[in-house]
Amino acid sequence: MTAESEGLREAIYIEVGVHPSYKRLTESKEPAESPFSTMKDLFMWAACLGARRGCRKPLVSRETIFRWDQLNSRDIVLLEAIALVVTGDPQVILHRNTVLEIAEECANAGIAELLDEIESRHGKPLWNLLEFVVKECALEGDGEE
């Protein structure tokens, strides 16, 4: 039996409208233009950002971006952690389809902010991404002591 015959999803989806941005940020031979090695890497960043912000946005029109078998064990643990944080239910990690749906909705929310931070500003996407990370780290440090 295959995972799909058991009702387990294999495809990971993104919103159709953001696919050109995923391509732009992953396919250039110039690292400063495409700061992400793969669309999976960009998806994972977007999912983490959406989860960090506590945001989910259901997909309206979806397109396959990659497949379950492209995830490594660290990726799977991270997606399960996102689902756990979002739901507060430890049992969620036993349900791949739910984990993927939550990750997709978090990524769909997170990609909008990520694109705003790295594509809507002057400068190369890589440098804009680094500035965003530095800003996020600085914000995280505020109020701690």
Side-chain angles (χ1 to χ4, degrees):
M1 290 181 81
T2 66
E4 287 181 341
S5 70
E6 294 176 10
L8 296 175
R9 284 189 28 207
E10 290 292 321
I12 288 90
Y13 302 108
I14 60 167
E15 190 71 43
V16 169
V18 298
H19 192 241
S21 294
Y22 269 78
K23 290 177 103 171
R24 261 192 320 280
L25 294 171
T26 60
E27 292 184 350
S28 174
K29 299 293 183 211
E30 172 59 41
E33 295 295 334
S34 295
F36 298 95
S37 298
T38 67
M39 290 188 194
K40 179 190 80 164
D41 295 337
L42 178 52
F43 175 89
M44 297 297 285
W45 268 71
C48 289
L49 184 58
R52 178 178 169 98
R53 300 287 191 258
C55 299
R56 290 172 65 182
K57 181 179 177 188
L59 279 69
V60 176
S61 57
R62 63 187 196 176
E63 175 173 349
T64 300
I65 193 74
F66 59 93
R67 302 193 60 76
W68 177 264
D69 61 5
Q70 291 174 268
L71 297 169
N72 62 44
S73 60
R74 288 181 305 244
D75 298 329
I76 293 168
V77 168
L78 183 56
L79 295 180
E80 290 172 343
I82 289 170
L84 178 58
V85 167
V86 167
T87 65
D89 179 8
Q91 295 296 311
V92 74
I93 66 173
L94 302 175
H95 305 283
R96 178 196 295 184
N97 295 356
T98 303
V99 168
L100 291 179
E101 181 180 337
I102 291 167
E104 290 163 348
E105 290 179 358
C106 287
N108 198 33
I111 194 67
E113 181 178 355
L114 194 56
L115 292 176
D116 185 52
E117 291 290 339
I118 64 179
E119 286 196 324
S120 299
R121 300 178 185 277
H122 294 292
K124 303 276 186 185
L126 176 61
W127 306 123
N128 293 341
L129 177 62
L130 292 173
E131 286 180 26
F132 176 63
V133 170
V134 168
K135 180 177 75 175
E136 284 293 305
C137 290
L139 290 175
E140 189 173 279
D142 285 349
E144 291 182 18
E145 294 207 83

